[in-house]
Amino acid sequence: MPSSLSLDPAKAVLLVVDMQNDFVLPDAPMEVAAARQRVPAMAALVARAREAGVPVIYTQHVLYDGFDVSPLETTQLPHLKTAGMRAGTPGVEIIAELAPLPGEVVIPKHRYDAFYNTRLETVIRNIRGRNVADSVIITGTVTSVCCESTARSAFMRDLRVFFVDDATGGFDDASHRATLATIDRVFGKVVSTRQVLDALGGA
């Protein structure tokens, strides 16, 4: 892990990936216990970003009852054919501890990569003014699935990736660490919550 962080707050956005009730709450359809454990770190980052004027952008994984919008996902995870992240239900909403403020952007998505067939890139390119933002700070869940897919996709779009190791939650420690190693070697910088808080300024 680098000892210093070359993150310019004036060119960054904070991305909170899929911190929804159906991923975070106990006994939820896609419960990720590690995501729940890391909520305090994510909340600290969200609060500091707001104080520093860094836009906070949320992603929200959405499935439907009326038709299977993500058929390969539900083939891999058959229990999602009947429950989980359903549009219009409390399970699809961002958890209360990280709830978006009025005016903050929430990006619905149907694939692990939050850039795929969404407006995320357009929002990032313009939310701070035309082509100002060049860096994404990634937090959320699942580390090795939606967080990693989105980080790789950001890199392919020439966005600098800062992947927060203790503010992302994985299914297990092995997959979490494997993602961190891959991101840090190839796709961006793996950083700590403390490093990002310091880079964004304040106490």
Side-chain angles (χ1 to χ4, degrees):
M1 183 180 298
S3 59
S4 61
L5 181 62
S6 57
L7 172 63
D8 182 351
K11 296 182 178 181
V13 301
L14 176 65
L15 196 57
V16 181
V17 177
D18 295 1
M19 287 298 290
Q20 300 160 246
N21 290 323
D22 275 351
F23 281 104
V24 180
L25 297 185
D27 300 318
M30 282 294 291
E31 180 187 2
V32 182
R36 186 164 58 250
Q37 294 162 5
R38 289 170 167 82
V39 167
M42 296 182 209
L45 290 169
V46 167
R48 181 66 56 81
R50 288 168 175 163
E51 291 168 1
V54 172
V56 182
I57 301 171
Y58 295 82
T59 73
Q60 184 182 49
H61 202 64
V62 180
L63 302 177
Y64 301 132
D65 279 328
F67 67 98
D68 195 348
V69 72
S70 187
L72 295 183
E73 179 182 8
T74 56
T75 297
Q76 290 291 114
L77 303 167
H79 67 282
L80 293 182
K81 291 182 179 180
T82 56
M85 291 85 71
R86 287 311 198 267
T89 70
V92 82
E93 299 302 328
I94 308 300
I95 62 170
E97 297 92 326
L98 301 173
L101 295 180
E104 289 181 332
V105 176
V106 179
I107 305 287
K109 65 184 182 66
H110 309 303
R111 295 294 184 273
Y112 301 141
D113 172 5
F115 287 93
Y116 183 80
N117 277 350
T118 75
R119 68 188 196 279
L120 179 58
E121 183 174 6
T122 299
V123 169
I124 291 173
R125 298 291 186 196
N126 294 282
I127 197 166
R128 307 206 69 162
R130 185 171 177 265
N131 291 326
V132 171
D134 69 0
S135 302
V136 291
I137 305 163
I138 293 182
T139 68
T141 200
V142 177
T143 304
S144 60
V145 187
C146 294
C147 294
E148 180 174 346
S149 297
T150 300
R152 287 171 178 252
S153 197
F155 174 86
M156 302 303 179
R157 290 166 168 79
D158 297 318
L159 293 167
R160 300 166 73 230
V161 172
F162 296 87
F163 199 97
V164 191
D165 58 1
D166 55 347
T168 48
F171 288 128
D172 53 72
D173 190 59
S175 63
H176 179 79
R177 291 188 178 279
T179 288
L180 298 181
T182 300
I183 295 295
D184 206 42
R185 181 166 183 163
V186 182
F187 296 106
K189 286 188 176 182
V190 172
V191 295
S192 67
T193 296
R194 182 72 263 165
Q195 284 178 292
V196 177
L197 292 176
D198 289 346
L200 297 185

